[in-house]
């Protein structure tokens, strides 16, 4: 079910869409120019709310509703675009910018107008150095054409957009940690409330949205609610850029309407093209590292927020990692939790210590092949002490891989313990040599 | 001093923000490119420019992984070993790089050319295995292409020195079987063509001596 028209990957097949003149000729910036002249900011917010656009960064929160949380009459306001994409399996923000930076910039500009902000920052992860240059160049073109700057198109509206590069910290994708980082501090999350809409960057009302979310806005404003809602499902309207990776023949970003079955994404020759070497699907992680795992029996789950949730997981960022039967579940859990251990900011104890101990046990089991009686109970114990006790979602996310692995593949952990190479080498019967 | 050589750039950076402190990360990148790494004097200099206590800036340098407080090689090679790269050849690539360069993770070659690091997800999972060299993306770097990659980077050492570590003029490359092809920003976007390869042979069990995390693990509690 290929789309006749793409929303995020607009003009997908046009070779030069990454150039300003081409984007402009194909109707780019029209939505922005029209909105500035003919629509009030409140009308743009209303439009996005009615279109049912949901945040693509992971939580799926309705964007228009989020914009409505801003306290009335408090200025300045800031718009932040979250491009700190760093979770294993997610890679669409980078490619959206590579393909067509202008659409994102138009989306940022329109959204800034809607929330009556005069300054927007695009926070990119430090590793996206080349993409940051692409964006800066495209922003310079927009200034030159008069779409950014002072008194834009004679309407009296001012807007500046800046690119700000982080320096290698996944936690800065958490909205309050991103603000701390943008303020020049270490990226540790803040206590909520107050929520960013009330007191965000520099203590001012702030809206923060993901790259893909903002890239949707120009088309919604241009084509209207009914057109947008003709894609996707009732509760998840529009399309999603699914990032497909792992043991599939054709990994990549595929924009599909919400509600497409997982099987189509993985097996269709246009998208995933099936599994490498015709092997069987073992583990599907449908929404980035923090999503509970699915297995081959879930191939008919529809890819929308509700459908994936009903299957016991979450759509999250739409990063679908598919692994075949050559992998071992304890090792997948080990690699995932190693990621969270590395990226834990150290602010709260359950996350800092929990991820550390999970990795210690998993490393010994999955990498060294040495399991001890009681390991399974220990692992259950560690993640139970983390779940619900962490300061932000990073620690909560670290629970998912190990919990899923223990739930879905308990026998693999038992096998490691039974066949352990060092059955009697360690344990409580050995007198420690200090 | 940074202010002598880059004054207008620094002023332009600071002007973007409502509070001066926000310029810490961009200025640290600038200092790192200018001095090669963030030695204590460089960090203090950034703190002085922004009227911050030096401790606050040292804290930032310690927190973020892209700031180096020790000298590193001309090329900083950062290999993604996360899911899914680790199942698509990243471990084999690391083994090949370590063998060729004669170093382990977080070490620098004797000629000062390469520093090797394992890093977490680089957000290009469809082009696994992925490497960054001074923040240039290098896609599809299988173990067989490691030598080609190293030869290419060696040949561009002078360029790397001039461009610095912080990606202030970064570019992306696809590593192909016989060459590195440049992904030019101004060229048309090309849809990727896939060659569906036969499945790789089953991998032998991982070497125990991967060097990663192991020393730390051996120091585990006596129980």
């Amino acid at each position: 079910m290929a789309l006749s028209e793409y929303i995020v990957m607009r003009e997908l097949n046009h070779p030069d869409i990454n150039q300003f003149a081409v984007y402009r000729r194909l109707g780019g910036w029209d939505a922005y120019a029209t909105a500035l002249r003919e629509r009030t900011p409140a009308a743009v917010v209303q439009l996005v709310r009615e279109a049912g656009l949901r945040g693509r960064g992971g939580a799926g929160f309705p964007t228009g509703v989020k914009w409505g949380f801003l306290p009335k009459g408090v200025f300045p306001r800031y718009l932040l675009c979250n491009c700190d994409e760093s979770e294993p399996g997610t890679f669409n923000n980078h490619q959206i910018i590579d393909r067509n930076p202008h659409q994102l910039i138009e989306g940022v500009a329109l959204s800034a107008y809607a929330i009556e902000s005069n300054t927007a920052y695009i926070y990119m992860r430090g590793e996206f150095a080349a993409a940051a240059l692409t964006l800066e160049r495209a922003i310079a073109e927009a200034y030159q054409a008069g779409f950014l700057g002072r008194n834009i198109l004679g309407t009296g509206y001012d807007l500046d957009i800046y690119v700000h590069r982080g320096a290698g910290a996944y936690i800065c994708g958490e909205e309050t940690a991103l603000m701390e980082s943008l303020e020049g501090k270490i990226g540790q999350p803040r206590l909520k409330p107050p929520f960013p809409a009330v007191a965000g960057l520099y203590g001012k009302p702030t809206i923060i949205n993901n790259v893909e979310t903002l890239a949707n806005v120009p088309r919604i404003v241009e084509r209207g609610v009914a057109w947008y809602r003709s894609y996707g499902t009732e509760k998840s309207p529009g399309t999603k850029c699914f990032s497909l990776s792992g043991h599939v023949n054709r990994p990549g970003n595929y924009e599909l309407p919400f509600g497409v079955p997982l099987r189509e994404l993985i097996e269709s020759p246009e998208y995933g093209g099936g599994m490498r070497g015709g092997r069987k699907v073992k583990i599907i992680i449908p929404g980035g590292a923090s999503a509970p795992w699915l297995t081959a029996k879930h191939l008919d789950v529809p890819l929308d927020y509700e459908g994936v949730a009903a299957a016991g997981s979450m759509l999250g960022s739409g990063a679908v990692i598919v692994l075949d039967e050559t992998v071992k579940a304890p090792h997948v859990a080990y690699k995932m939790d190693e990621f969270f251990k590395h990226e834990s900011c150290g602010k709260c104890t359950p996350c800092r210590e929990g991820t550390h101990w999970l990795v210690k046990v998993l490393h010994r089991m999955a990498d060294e092949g040495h399991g001890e009686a009681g390991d399974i109970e220990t692992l259950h114990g560690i993640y139970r002490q983390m779940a619900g006790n962490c300061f932000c979602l990073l620690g909560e996310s670290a629970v998912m891989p190990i919990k899923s692995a223990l739930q879905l593949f308990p026998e693999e952990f038992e096998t490691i313990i039974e066949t352990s190479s060092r059955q009697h080498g360690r344990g409580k019967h050995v007198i420690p040599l200090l | 001093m940074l202010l002598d050589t880059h004054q207008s750039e620094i002023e332009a950076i600071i002007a973007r923000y409502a509070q001066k402190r926000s310029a810490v990360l961009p200025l640290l990148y600038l200092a790192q490119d200018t001095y090669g790494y963030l030695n204590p004097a460089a960090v203090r200099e950034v703190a002085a420019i922004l009227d911050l206590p030096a401790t606050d800036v040292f804290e930032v340098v310690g927190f973020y992984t892209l700031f180096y407080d020790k000298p590193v090689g001309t090329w900083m090679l950062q290999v993604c070993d996360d899911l899914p790269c680790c199942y698509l050849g990243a471990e084999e690539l690391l083994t090949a790089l370590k063998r060729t360069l004669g170093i382990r993770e977080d070490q620098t070659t004797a000629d000062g050319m390469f520093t090797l690091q394992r890093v977490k997800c680089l957000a290009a999972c469809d082009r696994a295995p992925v490497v960054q060299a001074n923040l240039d993306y290098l896609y599809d770097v299988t173990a067989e292409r490691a030598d080609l990659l190293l030869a290419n980077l060696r040949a561009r050492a002078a360029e790397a020195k001039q461009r610095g570590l912080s990606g202030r003029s970064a570019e992306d490359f696809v590593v192909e079987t016989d060459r590195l092809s440049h992904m030019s920003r101004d060229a048309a976007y090309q849809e990727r063509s896939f060659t569906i390869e036969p499945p790789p042979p089953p991998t032998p069990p991982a070497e125990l001596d991967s060097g990663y995390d192991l020393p730390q693990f051996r120091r585990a509690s006596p129980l």
Side-chain angles (χ1 to χ4, degrees):
Chain A
M1 183 161 71
L3 289 167
S4 56
E5 195 170 24
Y6 295 88
I7 300 174
V8 179
M9 299 278 198
R10 179 172 177 169
E11 308 291 346
L12 180 72
N13 299 318
H14 201 291
D16 298 316
I17 189 71
N18 59 354
Q19 291 172 28
F20 181 84
V22 176
Y23 181 69
R24 184 79 188 97
R25 196 171 68 234
L26 293 169
W29 288 100
D30 280 353
Y32 175 70
T34 321
L36 247 58
R37 292 199 183 102
E38 294 169 10
R39 289 182 205 269
T40 61
V44 179
V45 176
Q46 185 60 22
L47 203 61
V48 170
R49 183 179 300 169
E50 281 170 15
L53 174 63
R54 297 177 66 166
R56 303 288 198 254
F61 194 80
T63 306
V65 176
K66 194 188 218 180
W67 292 358
F69 289 156
L70 286 166
K72 295 213 166 25
V74 185
F75 297 94
R77 293 168 173 178
Y78 291 103
L79 175 69
L80 305 182
C81 171
N82 186 345
C83 183
D84 192 60
E85 164 176 84
S86 334
E87 187 162 302
T90 60
F91 52 90
N92 69 20
N93 294 357
H94 184 203
Q95 289 184 11
I96 287 171
I97 291 168
D98 268 2
R99 268 204 67 257
N100 183 357
H102 309 289
Q103 184 178 355
L104 172 64
I105 296 164
E106 188 185 0
V108 171
L110 253 172
S111 309
Y113 174 70
I115 66 163
E116 300 176 72
S117 156
N118 301 112
T119 315
Y121 295 100
I122 302 177
Y123 185 100
M124 309 190 72
R125 67 178 292 192
E127 288 86 345
F128 288 173
L133 294 175
T134 306
L135 263 187
E136 274 170 0
R137 209 170 306 161
I139 289 172
E141 286 176 314
Y143 269 103
Q144 211 167 24
F147 293 121
L148 299 175
R150 302 282 151 269
N151 189 18
I152 298 164
L153 307 174
T155 59
Y157 177 60
D158 301 338
L159 176 64
D160 288 308
I161 301 181
Y162 302 111
V163 174
H164 183 91
R165 266 176 66 205
Y170 166 67
I171 184 64
C172 295
E174 200 280 341
E175 54 184 15
T176 55
L178 188 152
M179 289 165 196
E180 288 283 298
S181 176
L182 188 46
E183 289 179 9
K185 302 169 192 160
I186 63 173
Q188 289 188 327
R190 297 175 183 168
L191 192 64
K192 291 188 273 193
F195 288 95
V198 177
L201 183 66
Y202 308 127
K204 303 289 186 230
T206 303
I207 290 293
I208 172 161
N209 286 121
N210 174 265
V211 166
E212 192 186 344
T213 316
L214 293 175
N216 270 282
V217 175
R219 273 281 145 119
I220 294 175
V221 173
E222 185 190 341
R223 300 290 186 84
V225 172
W227 174 83
Y228 189 75
R229 280 192 169 271
S230 69
Y231 295 97
T233 64
E234 171 64 28
K235 287 187 173 163
S236 307
T239 61
K240 176 83 191 78
C241 248
F242 291 102
S243 305
L244 180 66
S245 63
H247 292 126
V248 289
N249 279 318
R250 294 164 46 91
N253 282 305
Y254 298 105
E255 183 174 350
L256 295 165
F258 280 109
V260 161
L262 197 43
R263 184 187 301 280
E264 184 172 335
L265 179 67
I266 295 173
E267 292 178 2
S268 161
E270 274 176 276
Y271 313 124
M275 301 297 285
R276 288 194 187 185
R279 293 206 178 98
K280 286 201 194 101
V281 173
K282 177 168 179 176
I283 298 168
I284 303 167
I285 308 170
S290 44
W293 301 353
L294 302 177
T295 56
K297 69 175 184 201
H298 294 108
L299 278 170
D300 293 311
V301 166
L303 284 167
D304 56 49
Y305 292 105
E306 289 70 32
V308 180
S313 185
M314 54 181 245
L315 188 64
S317 56
V320 182
I321 306 177
V322 190
L323 300 171
D324 67 21
E325 55 204 352
T326 56
V327 303
K328 295 265 182 285
H331 191 259
V332 179
Y334 161 57
K335 290 306 288 189
M336 282 288 190
D337 277 322
E338 199 190 31
F339 168 79
F340 287 112
K341 175 198 159 201
H342 184 264
E343 299 295 348
S344 174
C345 76
K347 180 165 182 149
C348 74
T349 313
C351 173
R352 184 185 62 239
E353 296 295 317
T355 52
H356 183 82
W357 283 100
L358 278 178
V359 168
K360 268 201 156 169
V361 177
L362 284 169
H363 171 73
R364 173 164 54 73
M365 293 183 85
D367 234 23
E368 297 186 321
H370 173 48
E372 291 171 14
D375 272 348
I376 294 182
E377 290 72 26
T378 307
L379 289 169
H380 277 296
I382 299 170
Y383 81 69
R384 281 195 191 119
Q385 291 175 70
M386 295 168 69
N389 292 329
C390 296
F391 191 87
C392 79
L393 281 176
L394 191 147
E396 303 293 328
S397 303
V399 169
M400 295 308 167
I402 180 60
K403 192 175 168 187
S404 297
L406 285 168
Q407 255 169 15
L408 296 170
F409 306 99
E411 68 286 352
E412 296 192 16
F413 289 87
E414 285 156 16
T415 311
I416 294 177
I417 295 168
E418 280 158 21
T419 59
S420 173
S421 51
R422 282 190 275 155
Q423 278 286 332
H424 306 290
R426 291 167 59 132
K428 59 187 170 187
H429 305 301
V430 178
I431 299 164
L433 298 169
L434 290 173
Chain B
M1 296 296 279
L2 285 176
L3 266 182
D4 302 332
T5 49
H6 296 84
Q7 191 179 5
S8 59
E9 192 177 349
I10 291 171
E11 281 167 3
I13 290 171
I14 293 174
R16 291 181 206 160
Y17 307 102
Q19 291 177 9
K20 238 178 162 181
R21 179 172 184 159
S22 287
V24 165
L25 300 189
L27 290 198
L28 283 174
Y29 276 131
L30 188 67
Q32 182 161 274
D33 278 347
T34 310
Y35 300 118
Y37 73 104
L38 290 170
N39 57 46
V43 177
R44 289 206 178 85
E45 201 185 329
V46 170
I49 293 173
L50 298 173
D51 302 324
L52 285 173
T55 318
D56 288 4
V57 185
F58 278 109
E59 180 188 46
V60 168
V61 173
F63 184 83
Y64 294 95
T65 55
L66 294 181
F67 295 131
Y68 314 121
D69 57 5
K70 306 220 162 41
V72 293
T74 307
W75 286 105
M76 186 65 167
L77 282 180
Q78 298 176 311
V79 183
C80 173
D81 77 336
D82 221 324
L83 217 65
C85 280
C86 71
Y87 293 130
L88 296 167
E91 290 300 328
E92 291 79 357
L93 171 66
L94 271 160
T95 310
L97 286 173
K98 284 192 284 189
R99 194 186 311 124
T100 313
L101 297 175
I103 52 173
R104 302 233 296 208
E105 290 88 347
D106 298 319
Q107 293 181 339
T108 304
T109 51
D111 60 357
M113 185 62 78
F114 297 105
T115 301
L116 185 65
Q117 265 193 343
R118 278 175 187 260
V119 293
K120 293 295 154 196
C121 190
L122 290 175
C125 316
D126 57 335
R127 312 295 309 237
V130 182
V131 179
Q132 281 201 319
N134 293 4
L135 302 186
D136 289 0
Y137 266 102
L138 301 156
Y139 297 125
D140 304 337
V141 196
T142 52
E144 309 85 73
R145 298 173 192 173
D147 291 340
L148 171 77
L149 173 66
L150 293 178
N152 178 292
L153 294 178
R154 264 183 221 284
R156 294 194 291 128
E159 186 196 329
K161 282 208 176 92
Q162 192 221 330
R163 283 168 45 192
L165 288 162
S166 308
R168 282 150 48 82
S169 52
E171 297 168 279
D172 297 352
F173 297 87
V174 180
V175 182
E176 297 178 36
T177 36
D178 54 344
R179 67 201 168 99
L180 264 69
S181 61
H182 198 242
M183 292 182 68
S184 167
R185 300 274 133 189
D186 300 316
Y189 178 83
Q190 294 285 331
E191 209 198 331
R192 189 177 160 201
S193 64
F194 287 93
T195 45
I196 295 178
E197 292 162 18
T203 45
E207 285 176 67
L208 199 59
D209 188 28
S210 65
Y212 193 48
D213 238 352
L214 209 55
Q216 187 193 350
F217 185 78
R218 282 188 180 134
R219 285 200 304 275
S221 81
L223 295 177

